């Protein structure tokens, strides 16, 4: 028995008896120290990849916990840990990330055989365009911050000028890096690249967390509004609640037009910075998953689906009507709220628009999900890190609006739900939860469906791929006509059974795209009734509701933007 046990081969090293691979790849896959005892190349690479992901993930977790501890200490004990201390820590992390990004650009990516594969699903043009858009707004935000701090240098620390200056350099470098290298499947220096990507992700998460919890400038502006109200002798009734604070400890903007511009610009662009941090984290995570990934030929799409506006009528019309009405509501809301005495009716108008639009979007998403169930298209089961991340982001970002809605429901039910405005906000919160859930189901189901290709169209695609060899053959007009007629009959036969389903899917997808665009525009450019109506804020208190809104609002805006990309994918593949 002992001899039999001794002769049993090792479970992890069964491949030792296998013949050595004949193909010597040019790629050098790093050997992690924990698994050098095993001679199986594939098993060692797989285990080394898991170990590298584990250690880089632990690095990011420790950095996030350290930064979160600093930020929490600043909130609960602002004497021992100040905002300047947190800025110094985040600035050090930014400098480390800058060093790694520059090393990647000039060193890692320039090595031979460093990037042999590129993920066609990663770094879509709308994602990279969003990175550039939000990066530009974040740079402008830091410029306003520098200008505002420079004017008030007599009562502000010099760190408030240094921190946004480093931020501008970090944003520019990171945006360039993501624009040019978001599709990379790096094949060298795996562990170092994973650690660099995770450090950058952790830094962006801390920047987002800091933006959510830092309300210094907002309190300064609220203090100035109280001063304006006092000047008018209480005649101007301000609807929203203003916290009581010691104004002598705050810097107030002097009577200078440029200071007011910096202040207003900072408040207007504040949500863009949080959006930039979130979208950078998503792109960096896909790059982290693609480190060391080898893409086989069947993963590479031979033809890319193109966006064509054909066969849709009602979706664009209804969506355009929703956008036009939404812009009018938004402009009227902004005009009324920016005044000293915002009219209560403007909030009624704002929430009424949502109460009409959200049920239409929910019904459309439910119908689209039912059509997906009736279709015969098979599920796409190929490994796709980008699609997996899209699903996670849709579910995670929806938690922002859903969480805010539940907080509003509790506050309104506990106060006075029979009031007109309260009942509208309550209905809006319930409908928003239902709309987020139904839209997520529709998008996720559509993303996992294979692209619809009629049988006749498959032959056309193969002919396009071999067009050079095909053109070398001289076909007569009669043969060409017969081929076209044969393919057309096959296409018409298959299209006649699925045309109405595809048409309805495209109509719904396009309508939801336009609706999500207007629902992205309104909160992004300053429509924040959840903070300005004062109902929930008076129930939870200023500081608590400020954190809730700044946590949920950027996630809600990110959800709308990410939903547009998912819906366009569903539209194209329908």
């Amino acid at each position: 028995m002992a001899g039999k046990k001794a002769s049993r081969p090792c479970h992890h090293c069964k491949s030792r008896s296998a013949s050595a691979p004949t193909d010597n790849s040019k790629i050098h896959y790093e050997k992690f120290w924990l698994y050098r005892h095993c001679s199986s190349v594939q098993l060692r690479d797989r285990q080394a990849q898991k170990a590298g992901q584990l250690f880089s993930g632990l690095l990011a977790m420790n950095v996030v916990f350290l930064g979160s501890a600093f930020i929490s200490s600043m909130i609960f004990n602002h004497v021992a840990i100040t905002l300047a201390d947190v800025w110094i820590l985040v600035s050090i992390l930014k400098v480390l990330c800058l060093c790694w990004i520059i090393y990647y650009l000039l060193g890692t990516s320039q090595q031979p055989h460093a990037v042999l594969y590129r993920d066609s699903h990663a770094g879509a043009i709308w994602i990279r365009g969003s990175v550039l858009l939000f990066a530009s707004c974040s740079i402008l935000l830091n410029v306003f911050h520098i200008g505002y701090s420079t004017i008030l240098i007599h009562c502000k620390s010099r760190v408030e000028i240094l921190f946004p200056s480093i931020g501008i350099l970090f944003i520019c470098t990171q945006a360039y890096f993501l624009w040019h290298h978001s599709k990379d499947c790096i094949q060298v220096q795996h562990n170092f690249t994973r650690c660099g990507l995770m450090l950058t992700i952790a830094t962006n998460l801390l920047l987002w967390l800091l933006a959510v919890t830092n309300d210094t400038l907002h309190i300064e502006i609220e203090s100035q509004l109280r001063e304006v109200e006092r000047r008018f002798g209480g005649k101007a009734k301000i609807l929203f609640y203003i916290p009581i604070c010691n104004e002598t400890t705050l810097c107030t903007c002097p009577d200078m037009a440029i200071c007011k511009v910096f202040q207003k610009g900072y408040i207007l662009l504040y949500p863009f910075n949080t959006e930039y941090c979130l979208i950078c984290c998503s792109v960096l995570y896909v790059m982290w998953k693609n480190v060391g990934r080898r893409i086989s030929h069947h993963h590479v799409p031979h033809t890319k689906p193109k966006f064509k506006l054909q066969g849709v009528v009602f979706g664009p019309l209804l969506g355009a009507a929703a956008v036009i009405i939404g812009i009018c509501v938004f402009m009227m809301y902004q005009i009324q709220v920016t005044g000293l005495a915002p009219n209560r009716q403007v909030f009624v108008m704002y929430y009424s628009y949502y109460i009409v639009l959200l049920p239409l979007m929910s019904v459309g998403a439910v119908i689209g999900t039912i059509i997906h169930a009736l279709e015969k298209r098979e599920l796409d089961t190929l490994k796709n890190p980008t699609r997996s991340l899209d699903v996670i982001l849709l579910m995670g970002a929806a938690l922002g609006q859903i969480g805010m809605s539940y907080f509003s429901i509790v506050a309104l039910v506990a106060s006075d739900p029979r009031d007109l405005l309260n009942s509208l906000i309550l209905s809006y919160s319930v409908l928003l939860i239902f709309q987020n859930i139904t839209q997520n189901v529709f998008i996720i189901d559509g993303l996992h469906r294979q692209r619809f290709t009629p049988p006749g169209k498959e032959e056309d695609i193969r002919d396009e791929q071999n067009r050079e060899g095909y053109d070398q053959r001289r076909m007569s007009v009669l043969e060409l006509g017969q081929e076209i007629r044969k393919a057309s009959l096959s296409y018409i036969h298959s299209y006649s059974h699925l045309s109405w389903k595809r048409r309805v899917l495209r109509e719904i997808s396009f309508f939801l795209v336009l609706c999500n665009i207007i629902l992205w525009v309104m909160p992004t450019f300053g429509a924040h009734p959840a903070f300005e109506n004062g109902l929930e804020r008076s129930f939870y208190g200023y500081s608590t509701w400020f954190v809730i809104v700044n946590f949920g609002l950027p996630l809600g805006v990110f959800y709308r933007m990410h939903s547009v990309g998912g819906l366009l994918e569903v539209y194209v593949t329908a």
Side-chain angles (χ1 to χ4, degrees):
M1 294 296 290
K4 289 182 180 180
K5 284 187 178 180
S7 62
R8 178 178 290 181
C10 176
H11 175 70
H12 294 288
C13 302
K14 289 182 180 179
S15 59
R16 289 182 179 178
S17 60
S19 59
T22 57
D23 183 20
N24 294 326
S25 178
K26 296 180 181 179
I27 311 169
H28 173 68
Y29 292 95
E30 297 178 358
K31 301 177 181 179
F32 197 77
W33 64 271
L34 193 58
Y35 304 103
R36 289 178 182 172
H37 67 278
C38 188
S39 61
S40 174
V41 176
Q42 291 183 353
L43 181 60
R44 185 171 64 245
D45 289 342
R46 191 180 303 114
Q47 291 174 331
Q49 180 182 7
K50 292 180 179 178
Q53 291 178 347
L54 173 64
F55 279 91
S56 59
L58 289 173
L59 171 65
M61 183 185 69
N62 281 275
V63 172
V64 170
F65 281 159
L66 176 63
S68 301
F70 263 77
I71 294 173
S72 301
S73 301
M74 176 197 69
I75 296 172
F76 298 110
N77 190 359
H78 54 83
V79 176
I81 301 295
T82 63
L83 180 60
D85 298 328
V86 178
W87 279 346
I88 291 172
L89 173 64
V90 177
S91 298
I92 293 173
L93 294 176
K94 285 182 179 180
V95 171
L96 292 176
C97 294
L98 280 172
C99 294
W100 173 78
I101 292 175
I102 293 172
Y103 175 78
Y104 182 92
L105 295 174
L106 302 180
T108 304
S109 62
Q110 301 300 322
Q111 292 188 16
H113 317 297
V115 186
L116 295 180
Y117 307 100
R118 291 176 68 84
D119 188 358
S120 60
H121 298 284
I125 186 64
W126 71 270
I127 295 180
R128 291 184 292 156
S130 301
V131 169
L132 291 185
L133 172 64
F134 293 135
S136 303
C137 296
S138 299
I139 291 172
L140 194 58
L141 171 73
N142 283 280
V143 171
F144 287 153
H145 192 184
I146 293 173
Y148 181 76
S149 301
T150 304
I151 294 176
L152 303 175
I153 192 63
H154 62 279
C155 60
K156 287 187 175 291
S157 172
R158 285 180 169 80
V159 179
E160 297 201 29
I161 299 177
L162 179 63
F163 178 73
S165 302
I166 297 176
I168 292 175
L169 183 61
F170 175 73
I171 293 169
C172 293
T173 308
Q174 183 175 245
Y176 176 85
F177 167 67
L178 295 180
W179 178 264
H180 290 281
H181 297 276
S182 59
K183 296 177 178 289
D184 289 1
C185 298
I186 198 71
Q187 305 295 331
V188 296
Q189 299 181 356
H190 296 171
N191 296 327
F192 187 66
T193 303
R194 288 192 186 100
C195 290
L197 287 168
M198 271 297 168
L199 179 63
T200 312
I201 291 175
T203 304
N204 281 280
L205 284 176
L206 290 178
L207 287 171
W208 171 75
L209 182 61
L210 181 61
V212 167
T213 56
N214 181 24
D215 58 348
T216 305
L217 186 58
H218 295 80
I219 291 179
E220 293 178 7
I221 295 174
E222 295 283 353
S223 175
Q224 294 172 41
L225 289 175
R226 283 208 301 127
E227 184 179 350
V228 171
E229 184 188 17
R230 192 182 303 113
R231 287 180 185 176
F232 282 88
K235 294 180 181 179
K237 180 182 177 183
I238 299 182
L239 190 88
F240 42 81
Y241 168 77
I242 299 172
I244 299 176
C245 55
N246 186 6
E247 294 182 29
T248 59
T249 62
L250 299 173
C251 290
T252 57
C253 203
D255 294 332
M256 297 172 58
I258 188 65
C259 186
K260 300 294 184 182
V261 170
F262 287 149
Q263 196 180 68
K264 293 294 184 182
Y266 185 90
I267 296 298
L268 180 64
L269 296 174
Y270 197 78
F272 287 95
N273 188 36
T274 54
E275 293 300 311
Y276 174 74
C277 296
L278 290 175
I279 196 170
C280 285
C281 287
S282 64
V283 179
L284 289 166
Y285 177 79
V286 173
M287 292 185 64
W288 179 74
K289 293 289 289 185
N290 282 331
V291 171
R293 183 186 175 199
R294 287 165 283 181
I295 302 177
S296 57
H297 292 291
H298 66 273
H299 282 77
V300 181
H302 297 288
T303 58
K304 295 183 178 180
K306 297 180 180 179
F307 179 83
K308 295 181 179 179
L309 188 62
Q310 61 181 20
V312 288
V313 178
F314 299 104
L317 288 178
L318 291 176
V323 170
I324 294 172
I325 297 174
I327 292 174
C328 296
V329 171
F330 173 71
M331 293 177 64
M332 295 175 64
Y333 176 86
Q334 286 294 94
I335 293 172
Q336 290 289 330
V337 171
T338 52
L340 286 176
N343 191 355
R344 185 183 178 89
Q345 295 300 320
V346 73
F347 293 105
V348 175
M349 176 191 65
Y350 185 90
Y351 285 111
S352 299
Y353 170 76
Y354 270 83
I355 289 174
V356 173
L357 184 61
L358 291 176
L360 294 177
M361 297 175 65
S362 301
V363 171
V366 170
I367 294 174
T369 305
I370 294 174
I371 293 177
H372 276 152
L374 296 176
E375 277 190 314
K376 301 300 182 182
R377 283 191 294 166
E378 295 182 358
L379 295 177
D380 187 1
T381 58
L382 292 177
K383 183 180 179 181
N384 189 341
T386 305
R387 182 178 59 200
S388 302
L389 179 64
D390 286 339
V391 174
I392 295 173
L393 290 178
L394 281 172
M395 299 298 293
L399 296 179
Q401 289 185 326
I402 293 175
M404 284 182 58
S405 298
Y406 276 117
F407 276 106
S408 297
I409 290 172
V410 172
L412 295 168
V413 171
S415 56
D416 185 14
R418 290 173 296 181
D419 180 72
L420 174 61
L421 182 58
N422 288 10
S423 60
L424 287 175
I425 300 176
L426 184 62
S427 303
Y428 157 80
S429 301
V430 174
L431 291 172
L432 188 62
I433 294 172
F434 185 70
Q435 193 275 325
N436 276 261
I437 294 174
T438 55
Q439 182 171 272
N440 277 352
V441 173
F442 172 64
I443 295 175
I444 293 171
D445 197 8
L447 290 177
H448 285 84
R449 299 281 176 172
Q450 290 185 355
R451 185 190 176 195
F452 176 78
T453 306
K457 207 70 174 177
E458 293 177 357
E459 299 178 2
D460 295 342
I461 293 174
R462 285 195 294 268
D463 290 342
E464 289 181 8
Q465 295 172 359
N466 303 310
R467 180 168 294 187
E468 293 182 359
Y470 181 79
D471 289 342
Q472 292 176 358
R473 296 186 300 146
R474 297 184 60 86
M475 295 182 62
S476 65
V477 178
L478 180 60
E479 292 175 344
L480 182 61
Q482 290 176 349
E483 290 291 331
I484 294 175
R485 183 173 179 273
K486 183 179 179 180
S488 300
L489 289 175
S490 177
Y491 175 77
I492 292 171
H493 176 73
S494 60
Y495 185 81
S496 61
H497 295 285
L498 295 174
S499 60
W500 71 271
K501 297 178 184 177
R502 295 180 62 202
R503 222 172 18 242
V504 173
L505 280 178
R506 290 198 168 200
E507 298 280 6
I508 293 173
S509 300
F510 205 92
F511 170 70
L512 292 178
V513 165
L514 294 178
C515 290
N516 278 275
I517 288 176
I518 188 60
L519 296 185
W520 171 79
V521 169
M522 294 173 74
T524 300
F525 290 94
H528 306 146
F531 199 74
E532 290 158 348
N533 61 42
L535 299 174
E536 297 96 336
R537 184 165 52 176
S538 60
F539 183 84
Y540 290 105
Y542 176 84
S543 299
T544 303
W545 188 242
F546 179 87
V547 173
I548 294 173
V549 170
N550 276 291
F551 177 81
L553 182 63
L555 285 178
V557 175
F558 180 77
Y559 171 76
R560 294 300 174 188
M561 182 192 65
H562 202 73
S563 297
V564 170
L567 289 166
L568 286 176
E569 184 72 19
V570 174
Y571 175 86
V572 169
T573 57

